Amino acid sequence: MTLHPHARAFLDIVKDAPPLDTQTAEQNRADLENALPLTGEAASLPVVEDRRIAGVGVRVYSPRPLDEALPAVVYFHGGGWVLGDLEIADTTARAIAVAADATVISVDYRKAPEDPFPAAVEDALAVTTAVLTGEAGFPLDVRRVAVAGDSAGGNLAAVTAQQLAGAHPGLVHQALIYPAVDARMPREGSYLTYAKGHFLTARDMAYFFDTYAPGVDRADVRLSPAASASLAGLPSATIVTAECDPLHDEGVAYANALGAAGVPVVSVTFDGLVHPFVYMGGVIGPAHTARRMIGAELRAAFAAVPGA
């Protein structure tokens, strides 16, 4: 493993961050706000609006006026179900909207510890279902809907895809960015190799799971989608992982399991990069490559829908 020089620069910036479990959720959230300048420049879009869908706060990004019924990407931000918000995901959501030529709906789901599991799952399902059933409150192409997210948001996207499998044919793709898909936290592979020293740590992940889902069976598929007995029939997937990330191996394993179940999958690992590089477009150049790739895969999935 050789760290990408941009990843090394990012790690130098955040090297003095205290362990998450030594601070309150409020303190950790405030620290994350300081990272906003690292997310890069925000692409200009004709539509950026805060709304509510199914009672949940969302931010809508569209590369065209909302009276055009574009395909939709329901996006869930990262942050371990405890941190993160619409702001940290803003530049990523904008870039994906442009690259996918789709309306991105970024979801401000409830977070722990104030609202522990399964509140975030309930919000994710509520917004996605409303989009698929034409109840978003503005025109969308309900035949072409995808779920997407990074880290904890990748978990919510994977869980949503599983929970709605077969119920809505319009859900055609899932884009999972270094997703946390196995709360059982295997003590081997990337979880061991990158347990510390590469921004996200194994200790951080333990804090996130303990805060988000205290006392919950770690094999519950709404928490660990990788524990599902069958992945057959799920929508096609794009899975992006970072080489130097505790979550690398489970993301790759989930991609392999989807493929073995007959689900079309594109799986790409970005060598030498760390969690959460896709957000860090202001300091990590390959973030932009990843955003464009994700958008292109979403666009291709939408174009493959008959009659599109």
Side-chain angles (χ1 to χ4, degrees):
M1 179 277 297
T2 301
L3 269 177
H4 190 287
H6 293 181
R8 188 175 300 280
F10 168 69
L11 293 178
D12 285 343
I13 292 170
V14 300
K15 67 180 185 300
D16 295 326
L20 296 175
D21 59 8
T22 66
Q23 299 195 128
T24 65
E26 291 78 9
Q27 289 171 319
N28 289 327
R29 291 167 185 163
D31 287 348
L32 186 61
E33 287 183 10
N34 295 329
L36 287 177
L38 303 180
T39 63
E41 293 186 14
S44 179
L45 292 170
V47 176
V48 178
E49 295 181 2
D50 289 342
R51 290 176 168 246
R52 297 191 75 80
I53 296 177
V56 180
V58 301
R59 182 170 295 166
V60 178
Y61 302 86
S62 186
R64 298 191 230 164
L66 277 189
D67 57 2
E68 297 187 38
L70 294 182
V73 180
V74 184
Y75 193 90
F76 308 107
H77 67 76
W81 309 274
V82 178
L83 315 178
D85 54 22
L86 300 180
E87 301 304 330
I88 196 69
D90 182 77
T91 61
T92 298
R94 288 170 183 262
I96 291 174
V98 171
D101 192 26
T103 297
V104 172
I105 300 164
S106 188
V107 182
D108 190 19
Y109 56 85
R110 288 172 289 170
K111 296 189 290 289
E114 296 87 350
D115 294 288
F117 175 90
V121 174
E122 293 169 351
D123 289 352
L125 289 171
V127 173
T128 307
T129 300
V131 169
L132 286 162
T133 56
E135 299 173 22
F138 54 93
L140 292 167
D141 186 348
V142 298
R143 303 167 305 154
R144 298 186 290 168
V145 176
V147 288
D150 61 279
S151 195
N155 169 283
L156 293 174
V159 169
T160 298
Q162 287 190 12
Q163 294 293 306
L164 298 182
H168 298 281
L171 183 57
V172 299
H173 199 71
Q174 51 184 321
L176 314 179
I177 305 168
Y178 28 75
V181 290
D182 195 342
R184 295 167 294 186
M185 293 182 62
R187 301 295 182 181
E188 58 187 5
S190 61
Y191 244 110
L192 183 62
T193 303
Y194 303 110
K196 59 183 179 179
H198 296 83
F199 184 67
L200 180 70
T201 67
R203 179 176 174 178
D204 290 339
M205 288 307 301
Y207 162 80
F208 286 139
F209 285 124
D210 288 346
T211 305
Y212 172 53
V216 176
D217 179 3
R218 294 293 179 90
D220 187 321
V221 295
R222 298 170 300 162
L223 181 62
S224 293
S228 176
S230 175
L231 302 177
L234 291 177
S236 61
T238 300
I239 298 183
V240 170
T241 51
E243 179 189 15
C244 308
D245 179 355
L247 302 185
H248 169 267
D249 287 5
E250 67 190 74
V252 172
Y254 194 63
N256 292 339
L258 286 169
V263 177
V265 180
V266 171
S267 176
V268 178
T269 292
F270 280 74
D271 293 341
L273 291 180
V274 298
H275 198 110
F277 83 94
V278 174
Y279 276 171
M280 299 295 122
V283 65
I284 299 179
H288 302 287
T289 303
R291 293 172 184 182
R292 288 191 295 268
M293 188 209 85
I294 294 161
E297 291 297 327
L298 286 162
R299 186 192 287 245
F302 293 143
V305 175

